[in-house]
Amino acid sequence: MRNIKLKNLEICTLGSHCSLQVLKGAKDENFSTCLICEKKRYDLYKRYSFIDRILLVDSFEQMLEKPFQQRIKKLNCIFIPHGTLISSFSPDDIEKIDVPFFGNRYILRWEADRILKEKLMVAAKLNVPRAIRDKNDIDRLCIVKLHGAAGGRGYFTVWDRNSFDEGIKKLINLGSISSEKDVYIQEYVHGVPVFLHYFYSPLCNEVEFMGADRRYESDVDGIARIPSKQQLNVNIEPTYNVIGNIPLVLRESLLEEVYKMGEKFVRAAKKLVPPGIPGPFCLEGVYTKDGTFITFEFSARIVAGTNLYVNGSPYSEMLFGKEMSMGRRIATEIRITNSNNQLNKILT
Ligand code: ADP
């Protein structure tokens, strides 16, 4: 277990992604809160009174500097990882940061690397889209993705080798990738995309389904606003850049399977990447027309879609009977494990 004092814990995160929700939840559970904030964003974050301490940095890169890490440790902080950490740093760097992390920092490598990601989803026996390793095998609509948590930026659809080569050329010219080896090709699943938010508590060995969202992505979600004939004229090539999130409730008959998928994922994570997945995670996929969920992705930490539910979601309300955001759920887990001397179960 990492060396951490049990009194006066402070909850800390990077100023981006879901930091407001995380720190609001921590404050609701009476923790002190600390934000690592890039100077350019200070004017935004200074507005929020639940942020007790702001550590200003020129860029998040500073998190990798030893003196900065020592400063965070001295403050007795528990660091909450989110998508910006994954998009800002390599898995090697993340593993080296000498500050106690909430959750399993080693599983973040499995999120960032699409091959490892696929391995974990297959091990969990989730339905997954076909992965295409050789561009010559593209024989249907596929989606081409970058590694890491790119938030859909730069993704494009292809239907044969030529369209793939064309798209790759554009990404190389834009400087987004250096070669076609930097992408992952996956069968495009038809249906509706849904993001399922879970929390796993190792204390009671329970998976909690906390909520769901759909993403609002530019410009793919704008295409339907243009008549189809004109879509052809302007030759639109949609991309999947996340702009925001839209709340969603599921048909109640789908919930049983939602729980089963979450439990399968937790079991596989424990086996492949000890200590598994304490804390929040998200299964991301498409419900097909027969109501089957095909998981195209997971996030092994809190997702920004949970920002919708600062006051709790319909599902968290039914589980907890009080306003329970994902940020607050994290803080609750820290509070309880700390009082039971079991922080080692939730920190790495
Ligand atoms: P990121 O990991 O960067 O957040 P995702 O893998 O979640 O990106 O994909 C971004 C978006 O691309 C999704 O919200 C969804 O709209 C679309 N998408 C991803 N994979 C598929 C797929 N296999 N079939 C259909 N749509 C997909």
Side-chain angles (χ1 to χ4, degrees), residues 248-317:
L248 191 78
V249 286
L250 296 171
R251 286 175 72 145
E252 196 157 314
S253 55
L254 296 172
L255 288 182
E256 206 185 340
E257 188 59 27
V258 165
Y259 269 100
K260 277 189 189 144
M261 290 189 295
E263 285 159 0
K264 286 197 289 189
F265 187 76
V266 165
R267 278 197 296 274
K270 276 187 190 168
K271 217 180 205 173
L272 266 64
V273 206
I277 185 113
F281 67 97
C282 179
L283 297 182
E284 312 174 357
V286 168
Y287 273 106
T288 61
K289 59 186 169 194
D290 62 359
T292 304
F293 191 73
I294 312 289
T295 312
F296 58 65
E297 268 267 20
F298 66 81
S299 294
R301 36 77 199 174
I302 183 169
V303 286
T306 60
N307 290 345
L308 286 165
Y309 304 119
V310 170
N311 299 323
S313 76
Y315 298 104
S316 66
E317 168 66 27

Side-chain angles (χ1 to χ4, degrees), residues 114 117 129 143 145 148-153 155 186-190 193 195 215 217 220 240 242 284 286 296-297:
R114 296 219 177 254
K117 180 174 256 179
I143 180 162
K145 303 181 176 188
R153 213 171 302 121
Y155 294 9
Q186 191 178 60
E187 179 181 4
Y188 188 92
V189 185
H190 297 275
F195 292 70
R215 288 184 181 177
E217 295 164 333
V220 71
Y240 298 79
V242 183
E284 312 174 357
V286 168
F296 58 65
E297 268 267 20

